[in-house]
């Protein structure tokens, strides 16, 4: 999936999976998954189903973290986003648009939900501190949208030193063209893009190693 021009330019390395993963599920909330709730939504059904398989595999290996993007009723915290995309005003905290998609296997007893107002899951949240304090050395990424909050979070994960691994069938976008081009961009420069099946095998290997140690 890496771009040949970027390979020729020196972006030819590969990130190595760590020993303590975390799973970041970005903005699989009803405002992005249900067309009746918000015009921002797209069909995320298959991506959510694949993400649930990752969630099951992550249990006991490391943190499972969900994000929800939303704004106050008066939109005082939306910043410049309102000028660029007025539909973001549908993401009002406390409404259906800011609820996790009910198809997700979220476990309130163990999982964490982070609330954010910007694209990156790291911006204005304690995510980096949570990953560091948990000893995480790799970040598995799922969610929406591929070209927006997923990509922004992957770039920041790389910058914060948490190698990101994007499961390409666990992310979704309104635009197929942007979905494809951003997967290529992330694979070339900012992380590893793999199938959920490949990541499930990696997680199984990590679990086996943890049980030995």
């Amino acid at each position: 999936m890496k771009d040949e021009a970027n390979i020729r330019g020196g972006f030819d390395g590969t990130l190595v999976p760590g020993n303590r993963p975390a799973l970041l599920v970005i903005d699989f909330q009803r405002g992005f998954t249900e067309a009746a709730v918000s015009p921002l939504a797209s069909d995320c059904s298959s991506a959510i189903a694949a993400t649930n398989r990752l969630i099951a595999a992550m249990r006991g290996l490391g943190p499972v973290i969900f994000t929800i993007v939303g704004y106050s009723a008066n939109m005082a915290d939306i910043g410049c986003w309102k000028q660029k995309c007025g539909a973001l005003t549908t993401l009002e905290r406390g409404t259906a648009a800011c609820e996790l998609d009910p198809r997700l296997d979220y476990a309130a007893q163990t999982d964490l939900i982070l609330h954010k107002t910007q694209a990156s899951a790291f911006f204005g949240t304690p995510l980096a501190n949570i990953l560091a304090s948990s000893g995480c050395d790799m970040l598995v990424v799922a969610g929406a949208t591929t070209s927006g909050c997923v990509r922004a979070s992957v770039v920041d994960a790389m910058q914060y030193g948490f190698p990101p691994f994007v499961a390409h069938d666990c992310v979704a976008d309104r635009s197929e063209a942007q979905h494809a081009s951003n997967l290529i961009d992330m694979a070339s420069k900012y992380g590893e893009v793999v199938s959920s099946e490949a990541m499930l095998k990696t997680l199984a290997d990590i679990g086996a190693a943890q049980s030995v140690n």
Side-chain angles (χ1 to χ4, degrees):
M1 185 173 285
K2 292 185 179 181
D3 177 69
E4 290 297 325
N6 276 306
I7 291 174
R8 291 194 298 273
F11 288 93
D12 56 356
T14 300
L15 298 174
V16 177
N19 301 307
R20 172 70 169 169
L23 174 60
L24 179 65
V25 182
I26 300 169
D27 299 355
F28 268 158
Q29 61 196 78
R30 294 177 63 192
F32 286 114
T33 64
E34 294 183 29
V37 173
S38 171
L40 296 164
S42 61
D43 183 8
C44 300
S45 301
S46 63
I48 289 173
T51 297
N52 280 336
R53 292 191 286 272
L54 288 184
I55 292 172
M58 276 293 303
R59 299 294 185 208
L61 298 184
V64 177
I65 302 168
F66 297 81
T67 70
I68 293 175
V69 60
Y71 305 100
S72 62
N74 63 8
M75 298 292 144
D77 51 355
I78 198 170
C80 298
W81 287 113
K82 187 176 180 179
Q83 300 174 43
K84 193 65 177 175
C85 179
L88 286 172
T89 59
T90 62
L91 304 181
E92 181 182 330
R93 286 193 294 272
T95 69
C98 291
E99 297 173 355
L100 286 180
D101 190 293
R103 293 170 292 181
L104 288 168
D105 290 336
Y106 165 69
Q109 299 85 354
T110 57
D111 299 339
L112 176 65
I113 296 177
L114 294 180
H115 295 271
K116 64 188 183 74
T117 62
Q118 304 300 313
S120 172
F122 289 88
F123 191 95
T125 78
L127 178 57
N129 288 339
I130 291 167
L131 296 176
S133 64
S134 297
C136 295
D137 55 7
M138 65 178 290
L139 186 64
V140 183
V141 180
T145 59
T146 312
S147 61
C149 296
V150 169
R151 184 184 183 279
S153 300
V154 165
V155 172
D156 273 357
M158 190 70 159
Q159 294 175 150
Y160 275 105
F162 301 104
F165 293 78
V166 181
H168 63 72
D169 49 333
C170 295
V171 296
D173 201 295
R174 288 174 294 275
S175 164
E176 283 300 320
Q178 288 186 314
H179 172 76
S181 65
N182 278 273
L183 286 175
I184 292 170
D185 189 55
M186 288 185 287
S188 296
K189 302 174 186 174
Y190 303 113
E192 298 301 317
V193 175
V194 301
S195 69
S196 61
E197 289 302 316
M199 182 49 61
L200 288 172
K201 184 181 185 308
T202 296
L203 294 177
D205 292 342
I206 291 171
Q210 287 184 3
S211 65
V212 170
N213 296 330

